[in-house]
Amino acid sequence: MLRFFKSSLPAQLLALLVLVLALRLPLLWAGLPVTAAELRALLVGERLHGGALPYRDLYDGTAPLAAAFFGALDAVLARPVWLYRIVALFLLFVQALRLNVVFNRYDVHPERGYVAALTYLLVGSISTDLDALSPLLLGNTFIVFSLSALLPTSREGYDNRRLFRAGFLIGLGALCYLPLALFLIVGLFAVVIFAANSFRSSLLLLCGFFFPYALVATFFFYTGALPGFVQFHLQPGLTDLIASGLPAGLQLRLLIVPGVVLALALLRSLGTSLGLVFQAKFRQLMLVWLVVAIATAAVERGAAPGVLVLLLAPLAYFSLFLWQRYRQPLLLELLLLLIINAAVVLRYRAHVPRLEGLLHMPAESRFGLEPDPRFAALRGQSLLILGPDDRAYFHNHPATPYLDWALSQADFGHLNEYAAVVRVAEKMGSNPPAYLLDQGNHVPRLKKLLPNIFGPYEPAGTPGLYQRKARP
């Protein structure tokens, strides 16, 4: 099998596609529960499609480009969970093929073929975390596409547009998931080792990176959303993001197989001498890429949705050394079969009795979200949830800007201030939601502060649920 994928013929590409679909589609067809990150993306997309503007009409920290993408998907189909899954699979496949093309085109390794793409997709299929569309998965696509633009020749000024384009693509990635801005370090390192005039080339890279931010900031300035963009997205920085992925402990256990493969590949790569200076420099670049990827994953302590995708690019590169010619090729074939089997076992462990307990790894589906049964009869209504549990939005629609409860504390956490009370009154608008779900006993105080807005809400029979009654 390994020898088959070391060829660059179209038949190998077709076989790769069939292998990946056979590995991933059965579980997708059987159905996976909606994750907390997916539900947030669906709600953001719905609000944007309804005309809300991020950071002005929505208290949410989703990066602007990712939010716009979710809004575009909602314009195609309302609450498109299956479309999110298809797009996630497509993005992962595109990343693998793009990376493989760059490796072959620039001769970063003496051997060619589809082995890098094979490793990328196999390891990326170990966890169902990458079956869900996330801002990190979307942003990583731009990071992968920036790699080719970071590989200029040693002659300075051969094509300045490439360095600008590289910075621009990294900036787009950061506009999908802010910690991806750390990959600017990879770009600057590439400039140092490849460009003759490092200072001038670094300025081009930085200009390219800040250009999309300048465009976004200008747009938000003229639409009145710039203060919210700074407050909800930029001000939290890289260390105060809201993680809604798998628990860090489970993520670490899922990274055991990729970690072992990466360790074996690193050991073999460091013991391999490369004939071309460019190939040696590229190996240095990918070592820096690996360090930056680990740092980016550590920003949310490994709990970001889709965090595994950060390690796939360096793993795919260093795996080229692992799969290179060996005096006992049968061992390499056996290792590849072990990786395939590991991907199947880990991916489908929830469907094999007692396998979860044997591996001490609960299935990712156990951390998905299910609709709250207490509000099963509440469907298709406009709703405001005063609390962190968003499950009631499964079959209902958010009707106010207060989507993220942690960020909403900018208003609801300062109700002793007149300005915050005025903002709440303004954000509730002239058409308040039909229902309130109070998870922290906030309604009695709100009725005293804003009786015209919250006074008509009366208990609806379910604890914490209030319905707006028409006044005579």
Side-chain angles (χ1 to χ4, degrees):
M1 180 184 292
L2 189 58
R3 182 181 300 178
F4 175 78
F5 284 104
K6 285 187 176 182
S7 175
S8 300
L9 298 176
Q12 277 70 15
L13 178 59
L14 180 61
L16 180 64
L17 178 61
V18 171
L19 176 63
V20 172
L21 292 179
L23 183 62
R24 298 175 69 99
L25 281 186
L27 196 56
L28 290 176
W29 186 265
L32 291 170
V34 175
T35 65
E38 280 184 309
L39 178 60
R40 176 59 56 85
L42 291 169
L43 297 175
V44 169
E46 182 179 280
R47 290 287 294 156
L48 264 64
H49 181 215
L53 186 69
Y55 316 117
R56 187 191 68 185
D57 306 320
L58 202 61
Y59 280 51
D60 181 74
T62 303
L65 193 56
F69 189 74
F70 297 148
L73 290 182
D74 194 82
V76 175
L77 187 68
R79 298 282 177 102
V81 177
W82 64 269
L83 183 58
Y84 274 47
R85 306 284 169 81
I86 292 176
V87 171
L89 177 59
F90 174 76
L91 289 178
L92 195 68
F93 196 78
V94 167
Q95 291 174 24
L97 289 187
R98 177 61 182 178
L99 202 64
N100 200 94
V101 168
V102 172
F103 290 166
N104 289 341
R105 180 181 299 171
Y106 288 92
D107 293 321
V108 302
H109 190 270
E111 297 184 5
R112 296 189 174 191
Y114 287 104
V115 177
L118 174 66
T119 307
Y120 196 102
L121 292 170
L122 280 180
V123 177
S125 299
I126 284 178
S127 171
T128 59
D129 195 31
L130 292 182
D131 291 325
L133 181 62
S134 64
L136 177 52
L137 179 61
L138 180 61
N140 191 68
T141 306
F142 294 105
I143 300 299
V144 169
F145 272 78
S146 72
L147 179 59
S148 61
L150 290 174
L151 303 176
T153 61
S154 60
R155 299 190 305 272
E156 173 63 18
Y158 75 107
D159 187 359
N160 292 331
R161 292 173 298 178
R162 297 189 65 182
L163 289 175
F164 183 87
R165 184 167 70 249
F168 184 79
L169 289 170
I170 295 174
L172 292 180
L175 284 174
C176 293
Y177 181 71
L178 184 58
L180 289 177
L182 293 175
F183 276 87
L184 192 61
I185 299 173
V186 177
L188 294 174
F189 182 80
V191 167
V192 171
I193 63 175
F194 288 123
N197 190 334
S198 300
F199 179 74
R200 182 168 175 265
S201 299
S202 298
L203 289 180
L204 283 170
L205 184 73
L206 291 172
C207 287
F209 175 80
F210 288 111
F211 183 70
Y213 271 94
L215 292 179
V216 168
T218 301
F219 171 76
F220 285 146
F221 175 77
Y222 282 105
T223 55
L226 185 58
F229 176 60
V230 174
Q231 180 182 3
F232 300 141
H233 181 64
L234 295 181
Q235 188 173 319
L238 303 180
T239 58
D240 193 24
L241 298 172
I242 298 171
S244 53
L246 298 176
L250 178 58
Q251 287 280 25
L252 290 175
R253 290 194 288 273
L254 287 171
L255 290 176
I256 292 176
V257 172
V260 170
V261 176
L262 181 60
L264 293 174
L266 280 171
L267 288 175
R268 194 157 189 214
S269 69
L270 296 177
T272 302
S273 59
L274 296 172
L276 299 178
V277 174
F278 172 80
Q279 292 176 348
K281 289 184 176 182
F282 188 86
R283 182 168 57 185
Q284 297 172 15
L285 177 65
M286 294 309 294
L287 282 171
V288 174
W289 187 302
L290 176 61
V291 173
V292 172
I294 294 174
T296 305
V299 166
E300 294 191 65
R301 294 178 291 278
V307 70
L308 174 61
V309 77
L310 290 168
L311 300 179
L312 295 183
L315 191 150
Y317 168 73
F318 289 110
S319 70
L320 295 175
F321 296 92
L322 183 63
W323 307 124
Q324 67 184 357
R325 290 185 179 90
Y326 189 59
R327 58 180 177 271
Q328 294 180 340
L330 186 60
L331 291 178
L332 296 181
E333 296 286 349
L334 180 60
L335 179 59
L336 180 60
L337 288 176
L338 286 175
I339 295 174
I340 295 175
N341 288 329
V344 173
V345 168
L346 291 175
R347 184 173 179 83
Y348 293 92
R349 64 188 183 277
H351 299 270
V352 179
R354 293 182 290 184
L355 186 57
E356 290 179 90
L358 182 63
L359 296 174
H360 300 287
M361 296 172 63
E364 295 92 322
S365 58
R366 298 186 183 278
F367 299 95
L369 296 182
E370 297 292 341
D372 194 328
R374 296 175 299 172
F375 310 106
L378 190 65
R379 290 176 176 266
Q381 301 293 333
S382 59
L383 177 68
L384 169 61
I385 298 179
L386 300 174
D389 189 350
D390 293 342
R391 289 180 297 163
Y393 282 137
F394 258 102
H395 302 297
N396 300 284
H397 308 285
T400 69
Y402 298 113
L403 184 59
D404 189 308
W405 182 245
L407 296 179
S408 299
Q409 294 306 299
D411 290 348
F412 287 99
H414 298 81
L415 291 178
N416 57 336
E417 301 175 9
Y418 178 76
V421 176
V422 171
R423 286 196 300 269
V424 170
E426 292 177 347
K427 300 300 182 182
M428 291 294 291
S430 58
N431 187 23
Y435 288 86
L436 291 179
L437 179 55
D438 188 4
Q439 298 175 355
N441 198 29
H442 303 283
V443 170
R445 185 181 183 188
L446 290 170
K447 283 188 173 185
K448 294 179 180 179
L449 294 173
L450 296 168
N452 291 334
I453 296 176
F454 291 95
Y457 287 97
E458 301 295 338
T462 304
L465 186 64
Y466 293 80
Q467 183 179 9
R468 186 175 175 84
K469 302 293 186 178
R471 289 183 172 179

